[in-house]
PDB file of all heavy atoms in Angstrom:
ATOM      1  N   GLY A  20       2.179  10.281   2.631  1.00  0.00           N
ATOM      2  CA  GLY A  20       2.901   9.196   3.405  1.00  0.00           C
ATOM      3  C   GLY A  20       2.354   8.972   4.824  1.00  0.00           C
ATOM      4  O   GLY A  20       3.064   8.520   5.675  1.00  0.00           O
ATOM      5  N   THR A  21       0.979   9.215   5.061  1.00  0.00           N
ATOM      6  CA  THR A  21       0.522   8.956   6.437  1.00  0.00           C
ATOM      7  C   THR A  21       0.523   7.437   6.630  1.00  0.00           C
ATOM      8  O   THR A  21       0.695   6.950   7.757  1.00  0.00           O
ATOM      9  CB  THR A  21      -0.862   9.507   6.634  1.00  0.00           C
ATOM     10  OG1 THR A  21      -1.788   8.870   5.728  1.00  0.00           O
ATOM     11  CG2 THR A  21      -0.875  11.029   6.454  1.00  0.00           C
ATOM     12  N   ASN A  22       0.322   6.613   5.595  1.00  0.00           N
ATOM     13  CA  ASN A  22       0.413   5.110   5.820  1.00  0.00           C
ATOM     14  C   ASN A  22       1.821   4.691   6.094  1.00  0.00           C
ATOM     15  O   ASN A  22       2.058   3.868   6.890  1.00  0.00           O
ATOM     16  CB  ASN A  22      -0.180   4.429   4.595  1.00  0.00           C
ATOM     17  CG  ASN A  22      -1.720   4.349   4.670  1.00  0.00           C
ATOM     18  OD1 ASN A  22      -2.325   3.583   5.470  1.00  0.00           O
ATOM     19  ND2 ASN A  22      -2.354   5.203   3.834  1.00  0.00           N
ATOM     20  N   HIS A 118      -5.753  -0.103  -0.196  1.00  0.00           N
ATOM     21  CA  HIS A 118      -6.744   0.543  -0.987  1.00  0.00           C
ATOM     22  C   HIS A 118      -7.874   1.056  -0.122  1.00  0.00           C
ATOM     23  O   HIS A 118      -8.349   0.360   0.751  1.00  0.00           O
ATOM     24  CB  HIS A 118      -7.327  -0.385  -2.074  1.00  0.00           C
ATOM     25  CG  HIS A 118      -8.251   0.295  -3.020  1.00  0.00           C
ATOM     26  ND1 HIS A 118      -7.872   1.109  -4.064  1.00  0.00           N
ATOM     27  CD2 HIS A 118      -9.612   0.323  -3.004  1.00  0.00           C
ATOM     28  CE1 HIS A 118      -8.908   1.615  -4.649  1.00  0.00           C
ATOM     29  NE2 HIS A 118      -9.985   1.170  -4.015  1.00  0.00           N
ATOM     30  N   PRO A 119      -8.275   2.368  -0.356  1.00  0.00           N
ATOM     31  CA  PRO A 119      -9.206   2.939   0.579  1.00  0.00           C
ATOM     32  C   PRO A 119     -10.655   2.666   0.282  1.00  0.00           C
ATOM     33  O   PRO A 119     -11.530   3.566   0.271  1.00  0.00           O
ATOM     34  CB  PRO A 119      -8.893   4.442   0.463  1.00  0.00           C
ATOM     35  CG  PRO A 119      -8.530   4.582  -1.022  1.00  0.00           C
ATOM     36  CD  PRO A 119      -7.807   3.303  -1.337  1.00  0.00           C
ATOM     37  N   GLY A 132      -7.102   7.440  -4.416  1.00  0.00           N
ATOM     38  CA  GLY A 132      -7.199   8.688  -3.567  1.00  0.00           C
ATOM     39  C   GLY A 132      -8.604   9.192  -3.356  1.00  0.00           C
ATOM     40  O   GLY A 132      -9.507   8.348  -3.144  1.00  0.00           O
ATOM     41  N   GLU A 189      -7.198   2.289   7.561  1.00  0.00           N
ATOM     42  CA  GLU A 189      -5.905   2.134   6.882  1.00  0.00           C
ATOM     43  C   GLU A 189      -4.725   2.077   7.775  1.00  0.00           C
ATOM     44  O   GLU A 189      -3.877   1.154   7.715  1.00  0.00           O
ATOM     45  CB  GLU A 189      -5.652   3.249   5.853  1.00  0.00           C
ATOM     46  CG  GLU A 189      -6.639   3.290   4.725  1.00  0.00           C
ATOM     47  CD  GLU A 189      -6.304   4.369   3.679  1.00  0.00           C
ATOM     48  OE1 GLU A 189      -5.162   4.502   3.273  1.00  0.00           O
ATOM     49  OE2 GLU A 189      -7.281   5.101   3.297  1.00  0.00           O
TER      50      GLU A 189
HETATM   51  C1  GAR B   8      -4.356   6.324   0.950  1.00  0.00           C
HETATM   52  O1  GAR B   8      -5.723   6.651   1.252  1.00  0.00           O
HETATM   53  C2  GAR B   8      -4.318   5.044   0.172  1.00  0.00           C
HETATM   54  O2  GAR B   8      -5.253   4.103   0.596  1.00  0.00           O
HETATM   55  C3  GAR B   8      -4.608   5.599  -1.299  1.00  0.00           C
HETATM   56  O3  GAR B   8      -3.807   6.712  -1.304  1.00  0.00           O
HETATM   57  C4  GAR B   8      -3.747   7.352  -0.069  1.00  0.00           C
HETATM   58  C5  GAR B   8      -2.286   7.685   0.213  1.00  0.00           C
HETATM   59  O4  GAR B   8      -2.227   8.421   1.478  1.00  0.00           O
HETATM   60  N1  GAR B   8      -4.206   4.610  -2.220  1.00  0.00           N
HETATM   61  C6  GAR B   8      -4.901   4.390  -3.322  1.00  0.00           C
HETATM   62  O5  GAR B   8      -5.950   5.082  -3.642  1.00  0.00           O
HETATM   63  C7  GAR B   8      -4.419   3.238  -4.233  1.00  0.00           C
HETATM   64  N2  GAR B   8      -5.366   2.854  -5.225  1.00  0.00           N
HETATM   65  P1  GAR B   8      -0.848   8.586   2.244  1.00  0.00           P
HETATM   66  O6  GAR B   8       0.190   9.046   1.239  1.00  0.00           O
HETATM   67  O7  GAR B   8      -1.110   9.657   3.326  1.00  0.00           O
HETATM   68  O8  GAR B   8      -0.544   7.228   2.884  1.00  0.00           O
END
Side-chain angles (χ1 to χ4, degrees):
T21 63
N22 278 287
H118 183 78
E189 295 185 47

